[in-house]
């Protein structure tokens, strides 16, 4: 199981490195430009590569937790998060100003699912009083709060109010969700590394 966790950390680390490299080589404004728009940059292939690595990391950690006897709902939520990450990368968003396509729709709703399920998984783990439970609870709360800020502009547009990403810090709020959720996933994995912690988690979440 330790091998699964270490491999999961390696995948998440590699995915984070790819994401940072993509940002460093782009001239987009991270305050207003959402991450999905980076796929149209010259090194845009790094975006699906990064998301696929995140998906692999989540799957590896989910399997490690399954073997440790962690609650099946937590395992399922991590797998859903990973599958959503893969779909986000496999189905790119539409170019700015283009009507929503099937690929763009899958991309958008997969992102919403991913953004929603990880904080729920973190809250479930925190309720079991595992290691880093307090930090996980705080990060999950921050991720949910940031998700609300991400969703609000879409709701506003549904009422016909023109609102572009240039008017709001859309990039900042989206990155807040991604960073906090990766932190939740990382803490979830770290909480399983200590044998005594694994024994304490299993009965509490089984």
């Amino acid at each position: 199981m330790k091998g699964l966790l270490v491999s999961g950390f390696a995948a998440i680390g590699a995915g984070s490195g790819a994401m940072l490299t993509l940002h460093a080589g782009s001239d987009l404004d991270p305050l207003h430009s959402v991450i999905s728009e980076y796929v149209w940059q010259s090194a845009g292939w790094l975006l699906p590569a990064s998301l696929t690595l995140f998906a692999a990391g989540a799957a590896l950690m989910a399997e490690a937790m399954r073997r440790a006897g962690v609650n099946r709902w937590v395992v399922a939520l991590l797998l859903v998060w990973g599958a959503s990450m893969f779909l986000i990368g496999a189905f790119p968003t539409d170019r700015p100003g283009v009507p929503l396509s099937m690929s763009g729709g899958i991309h958008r709703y997969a992102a919403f699912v991913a953004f929603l399920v990880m904080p729920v998984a973190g809250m479930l783990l925190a309720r079991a009083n595992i290691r880093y439970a307090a930090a996980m609870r705080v990060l999950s709360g921050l991720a949910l709060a940031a998700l609300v800020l991400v969703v609000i502009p879409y709701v506003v547009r549904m009422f016909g109010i023109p609102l572009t990403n240039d008017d709001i810090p859309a990039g900042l709020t989206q990155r807040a969700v991604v960073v906090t959720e990766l932190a939740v996933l990382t803490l979830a994995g770290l909480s399983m590394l200590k044998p005594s912690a694994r024994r304490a988690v299993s009965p509490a979440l089984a």
Side-chain angles (χ1 to χ4, degrees), residues 71-185:
N71 181 285
R72 65 181 182 274
W73 286 108
V74 173
V75 174
L77 289 171
L78 292 185
L79 290 174
V80 169
W81 188 88
S84 298
M85 284 288 127
F86 178 78
L87 289 174
I88 295 168
F91 294 90
T93 190
D94 300 307
R95 291 182 180 274
V98 176
L100 185 66
S101 66
M102 179 179 292
S103 176
I106 294 173
H107 180 95
R108 177 179 297 180
Y109 293 111
F112 177 75
V113 171
F115 289 171
L116 183 61
V117 299
M118 183 58 77
V120 176
M123 290 292 189
L124 288 175
L125 285 169
R127 284 180 59 187
N129 292 321
I130 62 172
R131 296 172 71 202
Y132 315 114
M136 198 174 298
R137 187 176 294 108
V138 170
L139 287 168
S140 297
L142 290 174
L144 286 174
L147 176 58
V148 171
L149 295 178
V150 168
V151 171
I152 286 175
Y154 291 94
V155 175
V156 170
R157 293 177 189 126
M158 287 175 60
F159 287 95
I161 301 174
L163 185 68
T164 69
N165 289 345
D166 291 333
D167 300 320
I168 55 175
L172 178 62
T173 54
Q174 188 192 68
R175 284 165 178 78
V177 178
V178 174
V179 170
T180 51
E181 295 200 355
L182 286 173
V184 169
L185 179 60

Side-chain angles (χ1 to χ4, degrees), residues 40-53:
W40 306 116
Q41 298 292 293
S42 58
W45 63 272
L46 285 170
L47 180 58
S50 172
L51 296 173
T52 300
L53 286 165

Side-chain angles (χ1 to χ4, degrees), residues 26-69:
S26 171
D27 57 358
L28 293 178
D29 176 13
L31 182 64
H32 299 285
S33 299
V34 295
I35 298 173
S36 303
E37 295 177 10
Y38 283 72
V39 73
W40 306 116
Q41 298 292 293
S42 58
W45 63 272
L46 285 170
L47 180 58
S50 172
L51 296 173
T52 300
L53 286 165
F54 290 155
L60 289 165
M61 290 192 177
E63 175 60 16
M65 291 186 175
R66 186 192 68 80
R67 295 186 184 187

Side-chain angles (χ1 to χ4, degrees), residues 65 130-132 136 187-194 197-198:
M65 291 186 175
I130 62 172
R131 296 172 71 202
Y132 315 114
M136 198 174 298
L187 287 180
L190 289 173
S191 71
M192 304 301 296
L193 283 177
K194 190 176 180 181
R198 294 199 298 269

